[in-house]
Amino acid sequence: MDYLERHRTANGHGQVAPRRVATPWLALLAGPLSYGIAAPALLLDELARATGTGERAAAAGVTAFGWGIALGTPLLAALLARCGVRTALTASAALLAAGTILLVLVPTLPALVAGAAVQALGSAGLSVTAMKLADSPRRMGVVAASLAVVGATGPLTGALVADLLSWQAALALPLLAVAAVPAARRDATPPDAMPASFDPLGMALLAMLVTSAVLTPHRPLVAGPVTVALLVLLVVRTNVRPDGFLPAAVARNGRFLTACVLVFTVGLVNFTLLYAAPDLLREHAGWDSTRSGVVLLAPYLLGGLCSGFLIAASVRVPHRVTAAALLGGAVAAPLLAAVASAVPLLLAAMALASLAAATGQGVLALRATGVVPGSHKAEALGLFNLAYLLSVAFGPAIAVTLSHQTG
């Protein structure tokens, strides 16, 4: 019996069983997204000089990247569900490359903002595709750990690349994910079926909702009511078109929504502590930002690396126990940071928050996609990751508010 005969599927139609994309390729496909968030952290002064603006204006590029991944996650997940893995990978890689080219070739603030946004759309598509292809707890653990580890090392890596090459090279780091696209395309299967219709109004409502939600921490009096109104309109649209851009089978699933709320919570705690960490270490230890950045590698690397093992092991633990442990970590971490003054305890709080967020992203992604119909897995992943990414928008704003209140 030849190779193909040994690998026929059991359905009797003579189809060859598809190969799985190797786990290291999935990690490379997803992980570099975190460079877009973390790599510019120590480069704002250099970006301000290069674009002839102030540091706050230069930080608009980071904000644009955050908006892009929040918006791109559900949009590219919908493309993934509609057209399959290969089309999603091609479109995402093209967006990532186009955004990166704009970033590195046109050193102006408008180009920085636009390039970061387009780059983020592509990064989001590659990341959500990697999570869809991660079809086991172990593989999902590797994907989640790659995102966390790259995020932990991103600021230092960005600074080193900028010193050795240029700030443009540091901003181009998310492009590394494109190296995994050929392997993922080669081993991907065609889409099972094309949805019967497209829902442009539902897509537009979700895009506007994401935009207003991202702006809410910065303009709460304006963006907050708009977000609520758009949410109501999207619920109405889902009732009118249950098979539309936001499938009712996902939006009305209580267990899916619970997973989204929980991942938002653990992400919110993690990103709030991450952005509050320099002030806490300056207050209690007198450290400057550079020393704090190096020392913070330890807790966030620990959280990211350990999360991969915990996600793989979660399959042997009842879900309620896992959810309770994640929620307990999310509650304990800020309490410990609030009462502790010793540096080891502060670092322990940050490690706990990092561990809860990185583990929660992987474990709860498996839960969120496991409780919805298989035909809506890609959309569920997109909406789940959107819930996690929204914590990136709210966490820093909360940290700044708390700093001003205690300062």
Side-chain angles (χ1 to χ4, degrees):
M1 185 180 293
D2 62 17
Y3 177 85
L4 291 179
E5 287 295 328
R6 290 196 305 270
H7 291 77
R8 302 270 183 199
T9 57
N11 61 14
H13 297 296
Q15 292 179 319
V16 178
R19 294 180 295 177
R20 300 166 81 198
V21 180
T23 304
W25 289 123
L26 296 182
L28 180 57
L29 199 64
L33 174 145
S34 293
Y35 279 131
I37 300 172
L42 302 179
L43 303 177
L44 294 182
D45 286 341
E46 192 168 351
L47 292 177
R49 288 194 299 271
T51 57
T53 62
E55 184 175 317
R56 180 167 296 183
V62 183
T63 302
F65 192 92
W67 173 83
I69 56 175
L71 178 62
T73 295
L75 293 185
L76 272 298
L79 179 67
L80 175 63
R82 185 176 180 83
C83 301
V85 170
R86 291 174 181 171
T87 300
L89 287 172
T90 301
S92 299
L95 287 168
L96 178 53
T100 303
I101 290 172
L102 187 59
L103 273 174
V104 303
L105 294 184
V106 187
T108 64
L109 183 60
L112 180 69
V113 172
V118 175
Q119 186 188 56
L121 291 172
S123 292
L126 295 183
S127 181
V128 77
T129 303
M131 295 187 79
K132 183 179 186 298
L133 294 172
D135 52 3
S136 72
R138 182 185 65 82
R139 285 154 65 82
M140 184 65 79
V142 173
V143 170
S146 71
L147 287 162
V149 169
V150 171
T153 59
L156 185 58
T157 302
L160 290 174
V161 170
D163 288 341
L164 293 174
L165 300 173
S166 66
W167 63 266
Q168 290 97 328
L171 297 185
L173 286 172
L175 192 62
L176 292 172
V178 172
V181 169
R185 274 184 52 86
R186 183 183 64 241
D187 293 341
T189 57
D192 294 331
M194 182 77 72
S197 61
F198 182 52
D199 180 19
L201 179 57
M203 182 182 71
L205 285 173
L206 184 62
M208 290 188 291
L209 176 62
V210 169
T211 302
S212 63
V214 169
L215 292 174
T216 295
H218 307 284
R219 296 288 187 273
L221 296 180
V222 176
V226 172
T227 299
V228 173
L230 287 169
L231 182 60
V232 171
L233 289 174
L234 191 59
V235 170
V236 172
R237 182 60 180 173
T238 302
N239 290 331
V240 173
R241 282 285 304 272
D243 60 341
F245 189 82
L246 180 61
V250 175
R252 297 173 184 169
N253 190 306
R255 289 180 292 177
F256 170 80
L257 295 177
T258 299
C260 290
V261 170
L262 187 51
V263 81
F264 175 80
T265 302
V266 297
L268 183 65
V269 169
N270 180 53
F271 289 112
T272 299
L273 281 182
L274 174 63
Y275 280 85
D279 285 339
L280 290 172
L281 292 174
R282 185 182 303 111
E283 176 185 351
H284 296 294
W287 292 354
D288 59 20
S289 297
T290 302
R291 185 177 182 184
S292 296
V294 173
V295 172
L296 286 174
L297 280 174
Y300 287 101
L301 273 177
L302 177 66
L305 291 172
C306 290
S307 67
F309 298 102
L310 292 178
I311 294 169
S314 68
V315 69
R316 297 188 292 272
V317 180
H319 176 70
R320 290 185 179 181
V321 175
T322 304
L326 292 172
L327 191 57
V331 171
L335 290 178
L336 181 59
V339 302
S341 58
V343 170
L345 291 179
L346 289 173
L347 295 180
M350 294 162 196
L352 183 59
S354 172
L355 184 62
T359 304
Q361 188 181 16
V363 170
L364 295 170
L366 292 169
R367 172 69 172 177
T369 56
V371 298
V372 300
S375 59
H376 293 303
K377 181 177 179 179
E379 293 102 321
L381 263 177
L383 294 169
F384 170 85
N385 281 333
L386 171 60
Y388 181 76
L389 292 171
L390 285 177
S391 68
V392 180
F394 283 82
I398 293 174
V400 171
T401 300
L402 293 175
S403 175
H404 288 168
Q405 289 177 351
T406 58

